[in-house]
Amino acid sequence: MTTVDERRTASAMHAVATRRSPAAAVLALLWAGAAAVVVLWWSDTGSVVGAAGWLTGAGRIAGLLCGYACAVLVGLMARVPMLEVRIGSDRVARWHAMAGRYTVCLLVVHVALILTGYAAQDHASLVHETLNVVLDYPDMLKATAGTMIFFAVGITSMRAARRRTSYEFWYYVHLLTYAAVFLAFFHQLTLGNDFNGKPVATAFWYALYLGVAALVLWFRILGPVRLNLRHRLRVHSVQKEAPGVYSVIVQGRRIEELGAQAGQFFRWRFFGGDGMGWTSTPYSLSAPPREDLLRITVKALGDHSTAVALLRPGTRVWAEGPYGALTADRASSHRTLLIAAGVGVTPLRALFETLPGEVTLLYRARTAEDLALGGELEAIARWRGAQVLYALNGSQGERPALTAESLRAAFPGLAGYDVYICGPHGFAQELYGALRAAGVPDRRIHHESFEL
């Protein structure tokens, strides 16, 4: 016989399970936009004659699609709540990374084909034609500067380059994408045959870019300004949780109006602390919001996170959010397994306290000393009758194997669980494969990564 609370929990979970992510609809809309661009090019393209005609025609469609991809790229950076919360910040970030690769590839193709086609048409060398286009064509100097910025952003975003540069450097270079899009925009209208004398096509292009600019203005500038003027966030205190791991308690006004949920994160700036106000860095809430307090727990991994330990009470804080979809809204079962590695325990600690139903937390760390927030986890487990399990390295440093077989043995009926994962990218990938092999459906494996 079920209790009233159990029936309410089951009803709430059923309602959550029936909610559909808008991801498919958003992707369909983006691809429909690309199809509209192809139609625009096709309707304005007559008969193609000779190699020069084929080259310039292909260069035109590559340029149009590149221009469209630029708008998509910026739109995905706008931090629209429907995307960041309903779809998930990590998924949107992957879309953004893919759009960036498409944009750079289309840009290379556009430049190469257009210049080659013009050179063939004018019977000139490629070098001569390049100088002629860049120096003599209207708005081409600005477009060339934008192209160079795009290439710089693309190079610094490559995985090999990312491993050799700090997050702060990558962040500053990445912001130049806005300048690149602005500089490249004008030559599309002045030189594009698809827009000259075509008011409908021109209006569509302006609407696309102005719409994306409005999203950026509202959600990346005006929205955060309003949030921070309203809530007046400041550092309340800093406390050490484990070697190199610190919690920052942030105090503000009317915190409950933020609508933050356990499992979500904000992007943080701390003013007056070793340049920490210049970079916006994502950190998850490590406890549910309480009255006028928020808490994050940070491991020293870079310049920004290392400086967290030096923050002083009263330091002004600038926050943007809340973001992320790693929340109770994803759950569809009354049984949940949370699997954390290292500082990835922070959002799962908040979920461990608030998720309804039967909840178990499995915490992976090197040693007992590395277990951040361990005392809190034990207290929560006792309070709600839940379970905390630890997977620590052996005496010789050997790592415990989290395989499909070991997970099934430890958690009978695992295929019926919702599983939340948070930890390093490699750990999450390996664990995802083990869970799928153990029979857990993809829709019940929930993971959000800050890997950039």
Side-chain angles (χ1 to χ4, degrees), residues 318-340:
W318 183 277
E320 300 172 37
Y323 302 123
L326 195 70
T327 66
D329 287 350
R330 285 193 175 187
S332 59
S333 170
H334 73 283
R335 292 186 297 176
T336 305
L337 173 62
L338 310 174
I339 307 180

Side-chain angles (χ1 to χ4, degrees), residues 168 238 244-246 273-274 276 281 283 298-311:
E168 290 76 16
V238 179
V245 179
Y246 293 85
D274 290 340
M276 297 174 71
T281 304
Y283 298 125
V298 179
K299 184 171 183 178
L301 297 173
D303 294 342
H304 194 280
S305 54
T306 300
V308 163
L310 305 177
L311 291 173

Side-chain angles (χ1 to χ4, degrees), residues 40-72:
L40 172 66
W41 168 80
W42 182 265
S43 64
D44 191 57
T45 300
S47 58
V48 180
V49 179
W54 282 102
L55 288 169
T56 55
R60 278 177 51 219
I61 182 57
L64 281 171
L65 287 173
C66 180
Y68 173 73
C70 285
V72 171

Side-chain angles (χ1 to χ4, degrees), residues 98-427:
M98 183 178 296
R101 289 190 286 270
Y102 284 149
T103 302
V104 173
C105 289
L106 286 167
L107 180 59
V108 171
V109 172
H110 168 65
V111 171
L113 293 181
I114 283 290
L115 291 177
T116 305
Y118 284 179
Q121 182 177 296
D122 295 340
H123 304 289
S125 70
L126 188 58
V127 173
H128 178 273
E129 193 65 34
T130 299
L131 292 174
N132 181 47
V133 168
V134 171
L135 298 177
D136 296 338
Y137 281 40
D139 293 317
M140 274 307 302
L141 281 175
K142 289 184 289 187
T144 301
T147 299
M148 295 299 102
I149 294 174
F150 265 124
F151 287 152
V153 173
I155 290 170
T156 56
S157 297
M158 295 173 63
R159 190 174 296 275
R162 283 289 293 116
R163 285 196 293 262
R164 291 170 171 79
T165 58
S166 67
Y167 170 81
E168 290 76 16
F169 176 80
W170 173 88
Y171 176 81
Y172 296 137
V173 173
H174 219 64
L175 286 179
L176 293 175
T177 301
Y178 295 118
V181 172
F182 175 78
L183 290 168
F185 174 75
F186 299 99
H187 91 287
Q188 300 174 49
L189 298 177
T190 55
L191 298 177
N193 292 333
D194 303 280
F195 301 109
N196 291 331
K198 300 175 179 64
V200 174
T202 302
F204 166 74
W205 214 245
Y206 268 113
L208 175 66
Y209 273 78
L210 290 176
V212 167
L215 292 177
V216 172
L217 177 64
W218 182 256
F219 292 114
R220 294 207 65 161
I221 299 175
L222 298 181
V225 168
R226 178 180 178 274
L227 182 155
N228 288 279
L229 289 177
R230 183 176 182 82
H231 297 287
R232 305 284 182 176
L233 302 175
R234 290 185 179 271
V235 173
H236 176 274
S237 58
V238 179
Q239 58 190 46
K240 186 174 182 178
E241 303 288 359
V245 179
Y246 293 85
S247 285
V248 181
I249 299 173
V250 176
Q251 189 171 32
R253 302 184 302 180
R254 298 190 292 270
I255 292 295
E256 71 282 355
E257 295 178 9
L258 286 169
Q261 301 180 60
Q264 290 189 307
F265 68 93
F266 287 77
R267 297 178 185 273
W268 303 89
R269 299 174 193 264
F270 299 95
F271 295 102
D274 290 340
M276 297 174 71
W278 291 102
T279 307
S280 172
T281 304
Y283 298 125
S284 295
L285 298 177
S286 60
R290 304 186 192 283
E291 297 180 355
D292 62 344
L293 299 177
L294 298 170
R295 189 183 75 174
I296 59 174
T297 302
V298 179
K299 184 171 183 178
L301 297 173
D303 294 342
H304 194 280
S305 54
T306 300
V308 163
L310 305 177
L311 291 173
R312 295 292 176 260
T315 299
R316 289 187 300 118
V317 179
W318 183 277
E320 300 172 37
Y323 302 123
L326 195 70
T327 66
D329 287 350
R330 285 193 175 187
S332 59
S333 170
H334 73 283
R335 292 186 297 176
T336 305
L337 173 62
L338 310 174
I339 307 180
V343 78
V345 74
T346 55
L348 300 192
R349 178 259 177 255
L351 286 168
F352 190 49
E353 180 177 342
T354 57
L355 273 172
E358 177 187 324
V359 184
T360 302
L361 173 65
L362 176 60
Y363 191 174
R364 166 81 181 93
R366 290 187 179 88
T367 66
E369 289 73 25
D370 295 320
L371 294 172
L373 310 174
E376 291 185 18
L377 296 173
E378 295 287 352
I380 293 170
R382 289 192 298 270
W383 163 69
R384 65 173 300 170
Q387 190 176 22
V388 182
L389 303 174
Y390 302 104
L392 305 178
N393 288 359
S395 58
Q396 303 301 317
E398 61 273 17
R399 297 177 56 188
L402 297 179
T403 63
E405 293 73 19
S406 65
L407 290 170
R408 273 197 302 258
F411 306 102
L414 179 61
Y417 281 66
D418 275 292
V419 184
Y420 289 72
I421 306 170
C422 194
H425 185 65
F427 167 84

